[in-house]
Amino acid sequence: MNSYNITSLIKKKRDKQALEADEIAYLIRQYRRDAVPDYQMSAFLMAAYLNGMNDEEASVLTREMLHSGKVMDLSDVPGIKVDKHSTGGVGDKTSLILAPIVAACGVPVPMISGRGLGHTGGTLDKLESIPGFNVNLDLDRYVEVLRKHNLVLVGQTDEIAPADKRMYALRDVTATVESIPLIAGSIMSKKLAEGIDALVLDVKFGSGAFMKTREEALELAGRLVGIAEEFGKKTIAYLTSMEQPLGCHIGNWLEVEESIGCLNGNGPEDLMSLSHQLAGTMIYLGGKAESIEEGVERSRQAVQDGSAIRKLRDIVLEQDGSADYIDRPDDYPKAATSFQVHAGSEGYVTAMDTYRIGMAALELGAGRTSKEDEIDPHAGIILKKKIGDPVKEGETIAVCFTNNEVTTDKVHLMLQDAITINDVWKQAPELITDVVTREGVTNWTR
Ligand code: URA
């Protein structure tokens, strides 16, 4: 490979020029060897943030971050391996529901998940609220568990896309996270390293998502699908609304509890329908259904016949968790304090500031304000009302759980502020708005 002057590469991006594939490869490889200091990488990231990257640049960036670490080879595990990735939201627990469903339908799901980020929750923190559950399997065990159960649920190790790990930490402190090509490269380098054959994406937009508008989400979805397809992974992305939390439970154990309810056939309509849609799409991509509709039907059957909840129980036991709380979630220890938030007036819930609701959950102890913070698995919120629901003055709109009494007054106010009640009824926003594939964007009308 040619060698380049790093300052010249930064200058090129600063001056809005596209970098050659070789130049990006050189930059990332030298960074991995500690031959590029963090201050130069930060300058490059800011130039890329401000001036963007074209499809080819983003694809080379992804490839270099992917190959900076181990790329799993799951070709010995029979079946088409399919995963799902969500760009994150509040109350988004679909992974906990769909992973056992899809595995129960015979499609292997090798799932490497992340932790909560800002106001959004993370699958790993939710899994760890199950006493004993071990998300830190080494890569040999990852393959062994997947082979045995068609399912494995783990966290990113240092071996997976280490260049992304370092660059993400830099982006976090240099105000360069919110760049669509950088986000796309970062997400896809980790997903491609899992050893998957196909992928379903849930790209969220709205007040509780990182992408605030449908247009931004469409751009991100297009980039993600483009990169995945270039790497030979069949990918279907859904654009979904985060204008209100998904389901009713927010907070780590509370979300596991709601997911267990869903797998036992008692879940809220929005959460169930999105979970079945994503699961059905995974089942279709995994070759176990002729169409997405048939996949959705198979997903519903796996809940009805109990095979999905049995799969969750099996994987919890395999990964050292206690299955007692899967069988009897009511026995889970409760938070020291709970309190109710009441409606200040009569009317209908017309809007939910989902970012603020996520921040309220974080205040209660359900998330982290710094990387070192401990998560309280018991903390969180159960929403009693969602957009479109009628409310009476003084009626309970939310119940909060915490072990940190100091925050109760503040959270009470935050939630009253975040949940708008109005005289005029408003319909809940459409949950799925668009589907993005390599063929293009289709409006979701049903
Ligand atoms: N999640 C990631 O993994 N990377 C990003 O850049 C943003 C969200």
Side-chain angles (χ1 to χ4, degrees):
M1 168 178 284
N2 294 328
S3 65
Y4 298 91
N5 178 296
I6 298 295
T7 310
S8 308
L9 299 186
I10 299 169
K11 191 160 177 276
K12 203 167 168 185
K13 188 47 53 195
R14 182 200 71 187
D15 294 342
K16 300 189 169 62
Q17 292 173 46
L19 296 190
E20 301 296 328
D22 248 19
E23 294 174 322
I24 295 178
Y26 184 76
L27 175 70
I28 305 298
R29 288 178 201 184
Q30 291 299 90
Y31 182 60
R32 273 290 288 151
R33 287 186 200 115
D34 289 323
V36 174
D38 280 349
Y39 56 80
Q40 282 192 308
M41 182 51 87
S42 301
F44 172 77
L45 289 168
M46 183 55 83
Y49 172 90
L50 293 171
N51 297 327
M53 294 180 106
N54 65 28
D55 287 348
E56 202 197 328
E57 289 178 293
S59 154
V60 177
L61 177 72
T62 309
R63 189 189 69 208
E64 289 301 320
M65 295 200 297
L66 167 68
H67 291 294
S68 69
K70 191 158 171 110
V71 181
M72 296 302 297
D73 177 1
L74 297 177
S75 52
D76 278 356
V77 179
I80 301 171
K81 275 69 68 181
V82 188
D83 192 13
K84 186 250 0 175
H85 178 80
S86 157
T87 56
V90 178
D92 179 8
K93 70 256 326 150
T94 58
S95 289
L96 300 174
I97 302 164
L98 60 79
I101 291 178
V102 175
C105 290
V107 177
V109 182
M111 190 174 268
I112 300 184
S113 304
R115 298 202 175 273
L117 199 62
H119 66 286
T120 66
T123 302
L124 283 191
D125 298 323
K126 295 170 201 180
L127 289 169
E128 282 183 344
S129 74
I130 302 168
F133 196 100
N134 181 11
V135 296
N136 300 312
L137 306 186
D138 66 32
L139 294 177
D140 288 340
R141 181 98 175 101
Y142 168 84
V143 180
E144 186 188 317
V145 175
L146 178 68
R147 195 190 293 277
K148 185 166 168 195
H149 293 282
N150 268 345
L151 178 60
V152 62
L153 302 166
V154 295
Q156 185 187 357
T157 67
D158 289 340
E159 295 155 271
I160 300 285
D164 167 68
K165 203 166 184 177
R166 277 183 68 190
M167 285 166 67
Y168 189 82
L170 266 191
R171 286 166 58 210
D172 204 21
V173 294
T174 56
T176 52
V177 169
E178 298 90 346
S179 150
I180 287 177
L182 293 180
I183 293 175
S186 168
I187 290 174
M188 289 314 304
S189 63
K190 285 172 288 211
K191 286 288 124 181
L192 294 168
E194 288 178 349
I196 49 168
D197 301 306
L199 181 64
V200 174
L201 292 164
D202 180 0
V203 181
K204 300 206 168 285
F205 68 94
S207 62
F210 290 106
M211 300 290 121
K212 297 299 171 204
T213 66
R214 177 169 164 263
E215 288 64 38
E216 285 175 316
L218 271 178
E219 191 189 336
L220 178 58
R223 290 281 192 146
L224 289 166
V225 170
I227 294 172
E229 292 279 350
E230 213 185 298
F231 282 83
K233 315 295 174 192
K234 192 146 177 42
T235 301
I236 298 178
Y238 290 93
L239 249 67
T240 70
S241 169
M242 235 318 124
E243 292 295 3
Q244 62 176 339
L246 191 56
C248 300
H249 290 210
I250 303 157
N252 296 288
W253 167 256
L254 290 175
E255 295 193 36
V256 175
E257 185 183 43
E258 189 170 41
S259 304
I260 294 168
C262 290
L263 290 171
N264 282 318
N266 311 311
E269 157 60 25
D270 62 340
L271 178 57
M272 282 314 305
S273 75
L274 181 58
S275 300
H276 282 312
Q277 189 63 38
L278 297 170
T281 308
M282 292 171 77
I283 295 165
Y284 162 69
L285 288 177
K288 297 290 179 187
E290 296 290 318
S291 64
I292 295 179
E293 290 71 22
E294 189 190 323
V296 170
E297 196 37 50
R298 293 210 58 191
S299 172
R300 293 189 197 284
Q301 277 164 16
V303 171
Q304 268 163 26
D305 66 18
S307 55
I309 188 75
R310 283 198 298 278
K311 181 60 77 177
L312 178 69
R313 196 177 189 284
D314 288 349
I315 202 70
V316 166
L317 282 176
E318 183 71 42
Q319 294 192 219
D320 306 326
S322 158
D324 294 351
Y325 298 121
I326 306 299
D327 300 336
R328 291 178 303 282
D330 288 347
D331 289 355
Y332 197 79
K334 303 281 177 279
T337 304
S338 68
F339 61 96
Q340 302 186 356
V341 179
H342 299 112
S345 60
E346 180 164 330
Y348 301 93
V349 176
T350 54
M352 295 184 118
D353 182 338
T354 308
Y355 171 77
R356 252 178 113 62
I357 296 173
M359 290 307 286
L362 196 144
E363 281 286 338
L364 292 166
R368 295 182 188 80
T369 44
S370 77
K371 244 178 21 203
E372 292 71 35
D373 276 2
E374 288 270 322
I375 292 248
D376 176 357
H378 311 274
I381 302 168
I382 297 182
L383 295 169
K384 296 292 182 186
K385 300 284 174 184
K386 302 272 301 267
I387 297 179
D389 287 346
V391 282
K392 296 198 171 64
E393 188 176 343
E395 198 179 348
T396 303
I397 49 177
V399 185
C400 300
F401 300 88
T402 187
N403 288 308
N404 175 10
E405 282 180 44
V406 183
T407 62
T408 56
D409 288 348
K410 183 173 175 188
V411 168
H412 202 276
L413 284 176
M414 282 172 90
L415 286 177
Q416 275 192 327
D417 245 28
I419 301 173
T420 306
I421 297 171
N422 224 305
D423 288 345
V424 183
W425 179 77
K426 199 174 148 202
Q427 192 170 10
E430 283 292 327
L431 190 52
I432 301 177
T433 61
D434 302 87
V435 188
V436 182
T437 63
R438 64 186 300 177
E439 280 79 38
V441 181
T442 313
N443 201 256
W444 184 265
T445 42
R446 48 183 64 200

